[in-house]
């Protein structure tokens, strides 16, 4: 959970899920137990405005975890979209991240709608981030419906067309940026009293 929080909320997608303990950039201590996590100093292929892990950030993360605040699982797909070099899969992962994150956020705010969201066909992304987000979270996404819809349309075009038409690297990067903005904004609205969440909404990504 701590690794996921650092990776997804401090926007460090290059932190590996499987190589813990090799790069001892920082450590944690719980009682008599001590462990270490890798913290890459820089990213080679992408540029992000990430938060430093200093004593202030660490204390705020600890406070959020104590309150039960968690990264959204869809953020894992967003990190994968940032790291992937193949435009097609970047867009598919970005759209999937947006869908999973908004559904999870809505369920956090209103657990009773969980079975409905999980059992029925998914509403369009722009409706999830628009009317449904407003109804259950009190406000719509700060992004326009057309921006959110563009990611879903790009994903659908890639999934349903098999004529070899591919996504350009520039367009794929644009859609990943939109997904990052939408999810960051969503997370800040989900936990508006958590500095880490609000800061995450201000982090930018570009290739």
């Amino acid at each position: 959970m701590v690794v996921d929080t650092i990776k997804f909320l401090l926007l460090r997608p290059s932190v590996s899920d499987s190589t813990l303990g090799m790069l001892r950039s920082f450590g944690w201590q719980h009682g008599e137990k001590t462990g270490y996590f890798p913290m890459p100093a820089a990213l080679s292929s992408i540029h992000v405005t990430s938060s430093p892990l200093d004593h202030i950030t660490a204390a705020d993360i600890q406070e959020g975890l104590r309150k039960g605040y968690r990264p959204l699982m869809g953020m894992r797909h967003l990190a994968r979209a940032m790291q992937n070099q193949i435009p097609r899969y970047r867009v598919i992962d970005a759209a999937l991240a947006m869908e999973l994150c908004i559904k999870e956020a809505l369920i956090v705010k209103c657990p009773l709608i969980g079975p409905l969201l999980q059992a029925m066909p998914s509403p369009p992304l722009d409706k999830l981030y628009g009317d449904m987000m407003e109804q259950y979270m009190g406000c719509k996404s700060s992004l326009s419906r057309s921006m959110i819809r563009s990611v879903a349309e790009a994903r659908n075009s890639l999934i349903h067309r098999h004529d070899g038409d591919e996504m350009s690297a520039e367009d794929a990067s644009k859609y990943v940026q939109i997904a990052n903005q939408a999810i960051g904004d969503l997370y800040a609205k989900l936990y508006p009293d958590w500095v880490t969440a609000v800061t995450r909404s201000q982090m930018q990504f570009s290739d």
Side-chain angles (χ1 to χ4, degrees), residues 110-167:
C110 184
L112 290 176
I113 67 172
L116 185 64
L117 282 177
Q118 294 166 354
M120 296 184 64
S122 178
L125 271 185
D126 59 320
K127 183 173 181 62
L128 285 168
Y129 280 85
D131 298 339
M132 293 192 68
M133 185 171 167
E134 182 177 32
Q135 180 174 350
Y136 293 104
M137 298 181 63
C139 57
K140 297 181 180 181
S141 173
S142 298
L143 275 70
S144 68
R145 296 190 68 167
S146 62
M147 290 180 68
I148 293 171
R149 190 184 305 118
S150 70
V151 180
E153 290 174 346
R155 185 265 310 272
N156 292 341
S157 176
L158 291 171
I159 290 177
H160 296 300
R161 295 185 62 178
H162 307 283
D163 56 4
D165 185 31
E166 285 293 337
M167 180 72 56

Side-chain angles (χ1 to χ4, degrees), residues 192-206:
D193 62 332
W194 193 19
V195 173
T196 294
V198 176
T199 302
R200 174 62 182 83
S201 70
Q202 302 166 357
M203 295 180 188
Q204 301 296 315
F205 156 83
S206 65

